[in-house]
Amino acid sequence: MQETAEQIERSGTKVFAFAPSADASRDVLRNAGFKDADTVARLLVDENLQRQAAGQLIWIDEAGLLGMRTMERVFALADSIGARVLLSGDRRQHGSVERGAALRLLEEEAGLKPAEVKENMRQAGDYRLAVNAISEARIAEGFKRLEDLNWIREIPDDERDRQLAADYVESFTKGRTALAVSPTHAEGDRITDEIRRLLREKKKLGQDEHTFRVLIPANLTEAERGDAVSYLPGDVLQFHQNAKGFTRGQRVVVGEGAALPLDQAGRFEAFRSRSLSLAAGDLVRITHNGFTADGKHRLNNGSLYRIRRFDDRSNLVLENGWTIAREFGHLAYGYVVTSHASQGKSVQDVFVGQSSQSFPASSREQWYVSVSRAKKRVTIYTDDKQALREAVTQSDDRPSATELITGKAKRLAVDLNRRERESTPKRPPKEREGLSRV
């Protein structure tokens, strides 16, 4: 991207870089040299940014995460301001949460021939060959190559999480960048407990823990957010837009006397409340966009930070010097992430916890993302290699409406041909014999 953007800008066209998520844009792209990179959502609502991009080039990285409706809005905007759109991404990784696989549809149905980067620059040697095979859907071959490297380990339940945690902590104490990945939160939580226990034993965590109230997305639809029966005492409503009587960022706690703004359901998000114990040295993950306590620094969803200490008001002071207010709420442990959250990240060592508990959430796309985040080594911890191999051969791609219609048309054609064959009168045996003799 850096080299291509440099060549484009030499011709007089400015490149404006975007990505679907805050982490991919404001962290990954900005760290890669695109200092003004931002989210696609910001582009679609910021008129000043749109004026700057008029007549220029809009580059969207991780475009495979865009759904159909958002992609259509990007194209409509580009058309209205005379800008060109360049999409980059890997449709073989996780797709969009929103409906539709826009990038895949453009490649397979729109007649566009994409340019491809065929050389894998992240890994080397046999590891590169394994990742290349998996990226090309040759799952069995890639799995076998990882097995030959002894990187897929079958370990019983009572030892597996402890071994993964020990290997992760060893990598961390050696000063290497490391990431633990698991398809499900349940398995990830178990691994996190083991990692924190070992870090405490090695005195990498402070002895004094502070308890915080954190907010977990309730994942309610707009209709459900507008219905009082959807809420429990202690649930939190947080406005993401200004609304009648409320400002962006303002919160309402269910059961604390205030009337619920159910008629504003399109302007707030709903969260469940739970407690989280943190100590100095803990790694935390931001789970919702926000700002530091002084308002000077943006906190991007998915970003990871390590806690240096707590101030006298129990605010979190990070290793980079930033302070997060104890009331911020959008925090989780950052030791283990899902493969969705790991997409776009790059570290030296990756540790994948993928037992049979997580097989229902396993897929070809999840496997590809999980095993390809490391530069040097990936180690997979499971309780059943054979079942794991079968689980990761299944795709979680959702067919688009176009693909569904096309598939139906093909099935109708096959059925019609079958019926025509069945309805065609058969020649009498003697006639067939005569024809065969001729």
Side-chain angles (χ1 to χ4, degrees):
M1 282 186 68
Q2 291 170 325
E3 294 174 356
T4 305
E6 183 179 327
Q7 293 299 319
I8 292 171
E9 293 194 334
R10 283 181 180 176
S11 70
T13 299
K14 185 171 182 180
V15 175
F16 289 80
F18 301 92
S21 70
D23 188 37
S25 57
R26 297 169 187 154
D27 280 352
V28 176
L29 286 180
R30 289 186 184 183
N31 290 335
F34 296 89
K35 62 183 179 65
D36 296 320
D38 218 312
T39 62
V40 174
R42 173 76 181 276
L43 169 67
L44 293 174
V45 299
D46 190 326
E47 295 181 358
N48 182 52
L49 185 55
Q50 294 169 9
R51 284 191 292 271
Q52 294 177 46
Q56 308 302 320
L57 185 137
I58 296 171
W59 188 325
I60 300 177
D61 192 31
E62 295 284 358
L65 293 174
L66 288 185
M68 294 298 295
R69 182 172 295 180
T70 301
M71 187 74 84
E72 190 277 334
R73 291 180 63 194
V74 169
F75 289 158
L77 171 65
D79 187 47
S80 69
I81 63 176
R84 295 186 66 184
V85 176
L86 192 156
L87 305 173
S88 62
D90 189 344
R91 65 183 181 85
R92 293 164 294 191
Q93 297 185 4
H94 288 298
S96 66
V97 175
E98 183 187 6
R99 289 189 298 270
L103 189 64
R104 186 179 80 234
L105 197 65
L106 286 172
E107 290 189 26
E108 295 184 351
E109 304 290 341
L112 300 180
K113 183 175 176 58
E116 292 186 76
V117 178
K118 292 185 176 294
E119 185 176 0
N120 176 355
M121 303 297 292
R122 178 176 292 166
Q123 291 90 21
D126 291 338
Y127 185 18
R128 174 187 289 177
L129 294 176
V131 172
N132 288 350
I134 294 167
S135 73
E136 296 167 3
R138 292 182 281 116
I139 304 300
E141 178 187 336
F143 197 99
K144 179 66 165 54
R145 288 186 179 278
L146 292 174
E147 273 194 302
D148 290 343
L149 289 166
N150 294 318
W151 289 358
I152 302 180
R153 307 181 62 182
E154 188 173 283
I155 304 174
D157 288 345
D158 58 344
E159 301 174 16
R160 187 178 56 257
D161 295 341
R162 187 179 302 113
Q163 185 61 59
L164 189 159
D167 294 343
Y168 174 94
V169 171
E170 181 182 7
S171 176
F172 165 71
T173 54
K174 288 181 177 179
R176 298 169 65 85
T177 55
L179 187 68
V181 181
S182 184
T184 61
H185 292 293
E187 185 159 12
D189 289 345
R190 288 203 325 266
I191 297 168
T192 292
D193 290 343
E194 284 294 330
I195 291 174
R196 295 189 75 241
R197 183 185 62 79
L198 285 176
L199 288 174
R200 191 174 292 107
E201 285 182 2
K202 294 180 177 294
K203 302 189 183 308
K204 299 293 183 180
L205 292 185
Q207 296 301 309
D208 295 329
E209 291 200 342
H210 295 242
T211 301
F212 297 85
R213 185 172 75 165
V214 295
L215 304 177
I216 311 300
N219 297 318
L220 302 178
T221 65
E222 183 173 338
E224 289 170 331
R225 294 197 301 273
D227 190 338
V229 301
S230 300
Y231 300 110
L232 301 170
D235 285 353
V236 176
L237 315 182
Q238 179 170 319
F239 282 84
H240 56 79
Q241 290 178 267
N242 293 332
K244 184 177 180 180
F246 299 92
T247 58
R248 181 181 178 183
Q250 188 171 346
R251 295 174 181 174
V252 175
V253 179
V254 177
E256 292 193 355
L260 299 182
L262 302 178
D263 59 334
Q264 307 284 334
R267 296 176 179 268
F268 65 76
E269 298 169 86
F271 299 89
R272 308 291 187 209
S273 180
R274 58 175 284 190
S275 62
L276 184 71
S277 295
L278 296 171
D282 260 323
L283 187 68
V284 292
R285 177 169 55 88
I286 306 300
T287 60
H288 192 280
N289 295 335
F291 291 89
T292 54
D294 57 11
K296 295 181 179 179
H297 306 286
R298 186 184 292 272
L299 298 170
N300 296 319
N301 183 16
S303 295
L304 299 173
Y305 300 101
R306 197 167 298 279
I307 301 171
R308 176 188 295 168
R309 62 181 179 86
F310 301 94
D311 65 16
D312 54 6
R313 298 181 59 190
S314 291
N315 297 319
L316 288 73
V317 180
L318 308 179
E319 283 192 340
N320 63 3
W322 296 358
T323 298
I324 299 178
R326 67 167 290 109
E327 299 84 12
F328 177 66
H330 300 291
L331 296 170
Y333 292 124
Y335 300 103
V336 186
V337 299
T338 63
S339 60
H340 282 86
S342 75
Q343 187 162 313
K345 297 188 184 305
S346 181
V347 296
Q348 291 175 300
D349 301 326
V350 167
F351 306 91
V352 181
Q354 197 160 346
S355 69
S356 54
Q357 178 187 15
S358 295
F359 289 170
S362 301
S363 69
R364 187 173 68 207
E365 293 77 15
Q366 167 271 317
W367 182 246
Y368 174 34
V369 173
S370 298
V371 303
S372 62
R373 298 304 91 200
K375 298 176 183 178
K376 299 298 182 182
R377 178 189 176 106
V378 60
T379 309
I380 299 97
Y381 304 77
T382 187
D383 56 346
D384 191 332
K385 284 186 183 181
Q386 180 60 39
L388 173 62
R389 183 188 295 110
E390 295 173 2
V392 300
T393 60
Q394 308 301 315
S395 173
D396 65 4
D397 265 351
R398 298 164 297 178
S400 66
T402 300
E403 291 165 331
L404 283 171
I405 293 171
T406 303
K408 182 178 180 181
K410 290 178 180 176
R411 289 193 299 274
L412 288 173
V414 170
D415 187 53
L416 179 60
N417 289 334
R418 179 182 57 78
R419 282 184 288 172
E420 286 180 348
R421 289 196 304 271
E422 292 175 351
S423 62
T424 300
K426 297 181 179 179
R427 296 179 184 274
K430 289 184 178 180
E431 183 179 352
R432 291 203 305 272
E433 291 172 4
L435 287 173
S436 66
R437 285 195 297 272
V438 173

